[in-house]
Every structure is written in C-alpha cells, then in structure tokens.
Amino acid sequence: MIAAVCLTVAVSGLFYLVSGIDLAVAHLFFEPGSGFPASRIEALNSFRTFASNVSLTLPLVLVVTLALKLAYPSKPSLLPPRLSLFFIALFLAGPALLVNGILKPFWGRPRPINVVDFGGPWVFEKPWVIGMQGLGNHSFSSGEAATTACLLPLILFVPREWRWQIGAPLAIFVAAVSLNRIAFGAHFLSDVVISIGLMLVLAAVLRHLFFVRYREVLSDAALEERLTALGLRMADDRAAFGRRLGESFARVRDAISRRGAAPRAAGEPSLTDLADAADRPSSPSSSASPGGAAVALGHAAPNGS
C-alpha cells in the first residue's frame, strides 16, 4: 500500500513539474486541421464500447450473486462474499465516487480537444490544478481508465502460479483502453496514469481492511452467515408485507361491496318480505270482501238500467 501511494505521488509530481509530457504525447495523435482523427475510426469506437461493457460486467455479476444469495438465503453464495464486497466497494469508491463524484466536478481541467494547442478555446492546465469551471466536460481524471484499472486486483484472487498469465492480459487491456482515450483527444497521459495509480492505491487500502485488519469480521464464513440471516429477515418481511397487503385488499373489497348495496326507505318491505307474503294463504275475510263489494255495487245501480 505504501509503495502504491509513493509511486502515485511521484508520477503526479513528475507530470506537474514537466507538463510538456502531456502536450508532447497528445501531439502524437493530433493533425492540424483534422483534430484527432482516431476518434472517427469505427474500430476504435467499437473497442471503446467493448471495453466499457467488459469493465462493467464484473461489478454487475457480483451484485447479482449477492442479490441471489439474499433471495435464496438457504443456498450458499455463488462466489466468495468477501471477493464480491471487495470489488463492489472498489468500483463504488473509485470510479463512481472519487473520479466522477469528486475529481471531475471540481477539477476543471479541459480535455485536449478543448485546449488552445489543439484548436480549442481553453488554456492548458496541469494535473491536480483546479482550473476554470465553465467547462461541462472535464478531463481530470479518466473515468474509463479508472474503471478498467479496477480489474487489475483480480490477480490477487487467482493462484500464484496463474498471476502472470492473468495479470499480463489485464495490464495490456488497461493500457489499450487508456491509449485509446489519449488518441481520441479525450484525455492527457497524466489523466489516465493518475487514475490507474489512484485505483491501485484504493485497492491496496481495501485489501488491507478486508484481508488484514478486519479479516475475521469480514471472512467468507462470517459474511456468509450474515447474508443468510439478512436474507431470512428479508423473506419474513416480504411475507408480512404480503399478508398486510392481502388484508388491505380484503377490507377495500368489503367496503366496496357494502357501498354497492342501496339503502331501503323507512317502512319499505324488502324482497324477502314480499316473497314470504306471496307464499302465505289468503284469509276468509279477505276472500269475501270482493263479493260483498260487488253486491253493494249491485244495490246501488239504478232500476231501469
């Protein structure tokens, strides 16, 4: 960790004191009147897209494995949980927070394509100098170089005899992505080199925390136990929420049913009362009353009709 910090500080100081290095390297890819022609090469743009997808695949896979563990707590984790948490913390603290959350918003270094030396309107700024804030697109430091550099600590998790075979392709990949950004006129050499150095320093700090200082608390067995307990609690919470939601729907349904039944006026017979009255036999007094009414009507009629 100390070596990584010292190397990053030394490289930063070199680029600050000898700022001509950035301009000289950028001039290698610049053509007067044409700008940076590499940015218009389709193959290089495709490589940039491919590199971005590859770099983001690792953290996405690790997040999915943790989500699966929480969804199925009785099953073991697909990947060692300490490895997953280490790289998720590295990607979040490095490219997400340090580079894109702190350095880019507050360090207003213009990109090479925006510098006067390459036909742009802005003055060249050294690295680590807080420049003009009128730019909406800053150069310091490189987010893509930082993201790909987060893949380099993978060599710590492979057997020692395989580290060279894994580390060399990863280093070439990181260098190719960084060189591609320089060729596009999007970053100076110091932007990508300092980004890589910062990610290595951050990886060294996280490795010390995860595997040295808190190795017992953050061991795979301890993390597996905590993830299992958390997944079980989440399952209980989901079940309780489902029950409460079902009860709420039942109450709403009952309220709607009660409102759908129209209220009867006072003294108005219900349908049940009418049905019972139709089924009862008629009384003698009620059957004789029509005849009596007819006789009375007969006596009341005139004689000569």
Side-chain angles (χ1 to χ4, degrees):
M1 180 173 64
I2 297 177
V5 172
C6 293
L7 181 60
T8 302
V9 172
V11 170
S12 299
L14 175 64
F15 280 111
Y16 183 83
L17 296 174
V18 190
S19 58
I21 298 176
D22 278 333
L23 294 173
V25 173
H27 269 293
L28 296 176
F29 303 95
F30 176 74
E31 292 183 6
S34 180
F36 292 86
S39 62
R40 297 185 291 273
I41 299 177
E42 183 178 355
L44 295 180
N45 282 282
S46 298
F47 173 72
R48 181 192 178 192
T49 302
F50 167 77
S52 298
N53 293 334
V54 169
S55 302
L56 293 176
T57 297
L58 177 61
L60 289 177
V61 169
L62 297 177
V63 170
V64 169
T65 58
L66 288 180
L68 288 175
K69 172 60 182 177
L70 294 176
Y72 303 97
S74 60
K75 298 181 180 296
S77 300
L78 293 174
L79 293 173
R82 180 159 56 176
L83 178 147
S84 299
L85 293 178
F86 171 84
F87 277 101
I88 291 174
L90 179 60
F91 276 93
L92 290 178
L97 178 61
L98 179 59
V99 174
N100 290 299
I102 298 177
L103 294 180
K104 278 186 177 295
F106 297 104
W107 269 259
R109 188 184 195 188
R111 296 181 184 273
I113 57 175
N114 297 323
V115 170
V116 174
D117 303 68
F118 306 104
W122 300 90
V123 178
F124 170 78
E125 296 285 354
K126 297 179 180 181
W128 294 110
V129 173
I130 300 179
M132 294 167 290
Q133 299 298 315
L135 284 171
N137 198 356
H138 299 167
S139 177
F140 187 80
S141 62
S142 174
E144 293 182 35
T147 303
T148 54
C150 288
L151 301 176
L152 292 174
L154 281 171
I155 62 175
L156 301 175
F157 297 90
V158 299
R160 187 176 297 274
E161 56 271 16
W162 281 96
R163 288 185 177 178
W164 174 254
Q165 289 81 352
I166 300 297
L170 284 176
I172 294 173
F173 177 69
V174 174
V177 171
S178 302
L179 185 62
N180 199 42
R181 300 301 291 148
I182 296 172
F184 279 17
H187 288 289
F188 291 104
L189 178 62
S190 59
D191 295 329
V192 299
V193 172
I194 291 175
S195 277
I196 295 171
L198 290 174
M199 295 307 103
L200 293 179
V201 170
L202 185 57
V205 172
L206 291 175
R207 183 180 182 277
H208 176 76
L209 294 176
F210 275 77
F211 296 92
V212 179
R213 185 167 184 177
Y214 300 107
R215 60 180 179 273
E216 295 181 359
V217 177
L218 297 175
S219 65
D220 286 329
L223 291 174
E224 186 78 19
E225 183 178 354
R226 291 190 181 93
L227 289 172
T228 299
L230 178 60
L232 293 174
R233 286 198 301 270
M234 292 174 63
D236 293 340
D237 292 340
R238 288 195 300 270
F241 176 77
R243 289 192 299 269
R244 290 194 299 269
L245 189 62
E247 293 172 357
S248 299
F249 280 134
R251 287 194 296 269
V252 171
R253 187 173 60 250
D254 294 342
I256 294 174
S257 299
R258 287 194 299 270
R259 289 185 180 182
R264 293 186 292 112
E268 180 182 354
S270 65
L271 294 177
T272 305
D273 297 336
L274 294 175
D276 293 341
D279 291 338
R280 288 195 297 268
S282 301
S283 61
S285 60
S286 62
S287 60
S289 58
V295 172
L297 288 175
H299 284 291
N303 293 331
S305 63

